[in-house]
């Protein structure tokens, strides 16, 4: 038994090594043309137009909503269209400038947290990531208690459910965290070796902060308006969806810029290599905000939601056990999401950066590359995206708490949840802009490992060996599960064949 297991393990390891060599030969044959040498074309122009139209229309709407109650109540006489009056006595919620400073606090805290996290990751990446994973559940539970104490029942229940889901997810992936932390440490190492990449993240955070100045001006005008409660909430939801899309576009623009830079460094063997093209960062930036920007706008609409759904389903699927009815339902959702992932995944942004393709083609090519090389087994096992999302959510919660507490000191009503929830989204976007540099490095490492493993070996031989060992173990695990399922199905068919009709 032991000899047969050892021989099968050795043969699997040899197969994995042969696969690595084959990929190295294939990618080293001269077809690895870089982004700077390929003539670029405009892609997904329709979505570029939609995003820009949305941005211009929203900017006008935000300015009007904010000015309507800035230093003067109902400047544009909008109250005649609302029903929130009682006889001749108007119900007033204040002015725009009453709430704008609270959003300013949220923007400042979010920016400070984003910069601090990116700096601290360079010193104590492992401890910071572990701290974020474990503290998030506690923080959600504490915020839930505070919401109940403030008689915000809906938000108390929401945060309690979030704490429970976070706890269950961490339990379901606890065995994956050591490998995830390994990958994140190497990604942080790569990002810190490229100081210009960190400057890009800081610059885009400032750009986002400027947009949030206008966005929060309009949001403060909505909170202060005399529209009824449900109307104000619907307006804030619409504004929040817009901010989420805008933030995702900026995050993914940084993703493309950083991915292109990391890929070039790995291809050429270092940023100081003589073969490095001149001004690679500026070229990557120019392509990202012009010819590739439509693809970024398109992918930003769907990628984040599909990724989050996939993480939750994978965590649930791994803990179901032998409940065949529930497993069948979850498997249906799993395969549905996997089909969507084929066309909407974050690895598309590396292909966009390197090859200048459209978003759907980039996503499909990246996924087919992973599946053809077996690296998809590592990608599925890695939870680095989920861990970085936890850091982002924690930053948003801290930001929302600061703004919410200040609002609660002045008013103890629904305005607390309005300001707190929207400030939380602001914090998540700002911290996400800092974290996306690390995530870009992770995606670039996997794409490079799939295309040519020797690129990773040249950069970090020890990490290459750890990746190869992990890939070997995951492929063995999948092979064992496939044999188990096949044996189980044959056993069921055999039983059905022996049962008399």
């Amino acid at each position: 038994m032991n000899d047969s297991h050892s021989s099968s393990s050795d043969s699997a390891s040899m197969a994995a090594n042969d696969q690595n060599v084959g990929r190295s030969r294939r990618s080293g044959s001269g077809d690895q043309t870089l982004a700077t040498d390929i003539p670029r074309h405009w892609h997904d122009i329709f979505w570029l137009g939609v995003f820009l139209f949305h941005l211009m229309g929203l900017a006008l709407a935000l300015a009007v909503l904010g000015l309507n109650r800035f230093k003067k109540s109902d400047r544009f006489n909008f109250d005649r269209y609302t029903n929130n009056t009682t006889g001749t006595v108007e119900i007033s919620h204040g002015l725009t400038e009453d709430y704008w400073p609270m959003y300013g606090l949220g923007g400042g805290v979010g920016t400070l947290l984003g910069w601090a996290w990116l700096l601290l990751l360079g010193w104590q990446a492992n401890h910071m990531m572990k701290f974020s994973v474990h503290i998030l559940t506690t923080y959600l539970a504490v915020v839930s208690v505070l919401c109940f104490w403030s008689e915000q029942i809906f938000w108390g229940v929401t945060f309690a459910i979030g704490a429970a889901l976070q706890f269950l997810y961490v339990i379901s992936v606890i065995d994956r965290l050591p490998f995830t932390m390994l990958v994140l440490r190497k990604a942080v190492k790569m990002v810190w070796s490229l100081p210009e990449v960190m400057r890009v993240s800081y610059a885009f955070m400032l750009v986002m902060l400027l947009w949030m100045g206008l966005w929060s001006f309009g949001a403060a005008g909505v909170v202060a308006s005399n529209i009824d409660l449900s109307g104000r909430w619907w307006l804030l939801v619409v504004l929040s969806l817009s901010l989420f899309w805008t933030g995702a576009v900026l995050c993914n623009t940084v993703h493309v810029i950083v991915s292109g830079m990391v890929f070039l460094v790995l291809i050429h063997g270092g940023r100081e290599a003589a073969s490095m093209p001149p001004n690679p960062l500026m070229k990557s930036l120019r392509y990202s905000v012009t010819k590739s920007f439509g693809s970024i706008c398109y992918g930003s609409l769907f990628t984040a939601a599909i990724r989050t759904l996939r993480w939750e389903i994978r965590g649930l699927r791994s803990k179901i056990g032998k409940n065949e009815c529930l497993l069948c339902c979850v498997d249906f959702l799993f395969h549905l999401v996997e089909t969507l992932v084929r066309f909407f995944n974050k690895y598309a942004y590396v292909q966009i950066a390197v090859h200048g393709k459209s978003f759907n083609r980039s996503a499909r090519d990246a996924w087919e590359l992973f599946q053809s090389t077996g690296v998809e087994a590592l990608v599925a096992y890695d939870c680095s995206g989920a861990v970085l999302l936890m850091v982002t959510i924690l930053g948003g919660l801290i930001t929302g708490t600061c703004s919410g507490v200040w609002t609660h000191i002045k008013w103890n009503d629904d305005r607390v949840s309005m300001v707190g929830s929207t400030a939380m989204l602001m914090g998540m976007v700002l911290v996400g802009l800092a974290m996306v540099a690390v995530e870009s490095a992770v995606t670039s490492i996997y794409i490079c490992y799939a295309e040519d493993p020797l690129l990773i070996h040249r950069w970090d031989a020890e990490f290459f060996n750890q990746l190869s060992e992990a890939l070997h173990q995951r492929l063995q695990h999948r092979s064992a599960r496939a044999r188990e399922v096949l044996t189980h199905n044959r056993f069921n068919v055999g039983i059905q064949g022996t049962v008399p009709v």
Side-chain angles (χ1 to χ4, degrees):
M1 286 287 289
N2 292 337
D3 292 341
S4 62
H5 176 74
S6 177
S7 62
S8 64
S9 174
D10 292 340
S11 62
S13 180
M14 290 172 62
N17 291 334
D18 290 342
Q19 192 177 35
N20 286 345
V21 172
R23 280 185 278 154
S24 300
R25 289 172 178 169
R26 183 170 64 250
S27 59
S29 60
D31 61 348
Q32 192 70 265
T33 311
L34 296 177
T36 52
D37 303 322
I38 297 176
R40 295 276 182 147
H41 303 285
W42 291 85
H43 293 291
D44 301 309
I45 299 176
F46 171 77
W47 292 103
L48 171 61
V50 170
F51 179 74
L52 293 179
F53 263 128
H54 138 267
L55 216 57
M56 291 185 291
L58 187 72
L60 178 61
L62 289 169
V64 170
L65 288 169
L67 286 172
N68 184 54
R69 301 190 73 84
F70 184 69
K71 295 185 180 294
K72 180 182 178 181
S73 180
D74 198 28
R75 184 186 305 272
F76 301 122
N77 200 20
F78 286 164
D79 284 354
R80 60 183 171 175
Y81 302 111
T82 68
N83 299 318
N84 198 18
T85 56
T86 305
T88 58
V89 180
E90 182 182 299
I91 301 175
S92 177
H93 298 112
L95 299 174
T96 300
E97 58 265 32
D98 293 333
Y99 306 95
W100 204 16
M102 297 161 190
Y103 284 115
L105 173 65
V109 171
T111 304
L112 182 63
L113 286 173
W115 286 354
W117 276 111
L118 200 52
L119 290 173
L120 289 172
L121 283 176
W123 294 328
Q124 294 290 336
N126 204 38
H127 291 96
M128 295 303 296
M129 291 298 177
K130 287 181 179 178
F131 172 79
S132 302
V133 169
H134 296 297
I135 200 65
L136 181 57
T137 304
T138 305
Y139 201 96
L140 283 166
V142 170
V143 172
S144 174
V145 172
L146 290 175
C147 288
F148 282 122
W149 176 69
S150 301
E151 299 181 355
Q152 300 285 339
I153 305 301
F154 172 79
W155 291 105
V157 172
T158 300
F159 286 119
I161 293 173
L165 291 176
Q166 163 70 7
F167 176 77
L168 292 174
Y169 178 76
V170 172
I171 292 298
S172 68
V173 299
I174 195 74
D175 57 323
R176 304 183 192 180
L177 290 181
F179 175 74
T180 298
M181 295 303 171
L182 167 68
V183 175
L184 286 172
R185 284 199 306 272
K186 297 302 179 181
V188 170
K189 171 188 171 184
M190 171 62 77
V191 169
W192 267 72
S193 69
L194 301 170
E196 59 266 48
V197 160
M198 296 181 64
R199 287 196 290 268
V200 167
S201 289
Y202 294 148
F204 271 77
M205 287 175 69
L206 288 176
V207 171
M208 190 72 240
L209 200 58
L210 290 174
W211 173 252
M212 283 182 175
L214 177 59
W215 185 90
S216 59
F217 183 69
V222 171
V223 177
S225 68
N226 282 342
I227 305 172
D228 63 349
L229 183 61
S230 61
R232 283 184 291 159
W233 269 115
W234 276 113
L235 275 174
L236 288 175
V237 168
V238 171
L239 293 182
S240 297
L241 289 174
S242 170
L243 181 64
F244 179 83
W245 188 21
T246 306
V249 168
L250 287 185
C251 282
N252 291 327
T253 303
V254 176
H255 198 148
V256 171
I257 295 169
V258 176
S259 296
M261 190 67 190
V262 170
F263 202 90
L264 282 172
V265 169
L266 291 175
I267 284 287
H268 292 280
R271 64 193 299 268
E272 303 298 335
S275 58
M276 278 284 285
N279 299 322
L281 186 68
M282 293 307 298
K283 289 183 178 180
S284 184
L285 174 62
R286 186 174 72 249
Y287 289 137
S288 299
V289 298
T290 54
K291 296 182 179 180
S292 297
F293 197 60
S295 300
I296 294 171
C297 296
Y298 174 47
S300 301
L301 268 176
F302 309 104
T303 308
I306 293 172
R307 283 169 56 201
T308 304
L309 185 60
R310 183 171 182 253
W311 292 330
E312 293 296 338
I313 291 176
R314 276 190 176 275
L316 179 62
R317 189 170 180 254
S318 64
K319 295 298 178 182
I320 285 177
K322 298 186 179 298
N323 188 327
E324 293 189 5
C325 179
L326 186 57
L327 184 61
C328 181
C329 296
V330 173
D331 270 345
F332 171 76
L333 291 175
F334 175 76
H335 291 300
L336 178 64
V337 172
E338 287 295 301
T339 302
L340 293 174
V341 167
R342 187 180 182 87
F343 298 99
F344 297 97
N345 60 72
K346 63 182 179 180
Y347 302 96
Y349 299 113
V350 184
Q351 296 281 352
I352 291 172
V354 177
H355 302 295
K357 303 173 184 176
S358 65
F359 181 82
N360 281 143
R361 184 183 172 192
S362 297
R364 186 175 65 249
D365 289 351
W367 207 245
E368 287 176 356
L369 174 66
F370 285 152
Q371 290 188 322
S372 64
T373 56
V375 177
E376 191 270 335
L378 276 184
V379 171
Y381 188 67
D382 178 31
C383 300
S384 58
V387 171
L388 292 173
L389 178 62
M390 293 175 197
V391 175
T392 302
I393 293 174
L394 181 60
L397 284 170
I398 295 172
T399 303
T401 303
C402 292
S403 296
V405 167
W406 188 8
T407 311
H408 183 269
I409 292 172
K410 298 187 71 174
W411 306 283
N412 186 14
D413 55 19
D414 290 304
R415 287 172 286 186
V416 176
S417 54
M418 287 181 181
V419 174
S421 58
T422 45
M424 174 183 167
L425 179 60
M426 290 173 61
M428 287 179 62
V429 170
L430 290 167
V431 176
L433 273 168
M435 294 298 102
V436 75
V438 179
E439 189 170 22
S440 302
V442 172
T443 56
S444 300
I445 287 170
Y446 279 126
I447 290 287
C448 284
Y449 184 69
E451 290 198 354
D452 187 354
L454 292 184
L455 296 176
I456 305 299
H457 184 273
R458 182 171 57 184
W459 173 57
D460 191 325
E462 182 184 2
F463 182 49
F464 167 80
N465 293 331
Q466 291 168 325
L467 276 183
S468 299
E469 179 63 25
L471 177 60
H472 166 59
Q473 292 176 357
R474 296 315 302 166
L475 291 176
Q476 273 196 326
H477 174 73
R478 286 195 170 187
S479 178
R481 285 192 61 182
R483 285 196 300 270
E484 182 182 349
V485 170
L486 183 61
T487 304
H488 181 70
N489 290 340
R490 285 177 177 172
F491 180 72
N492 288 341
V493 171
I495 291 178
Q496 291 175 3
T498 58
V499 174
V501 181

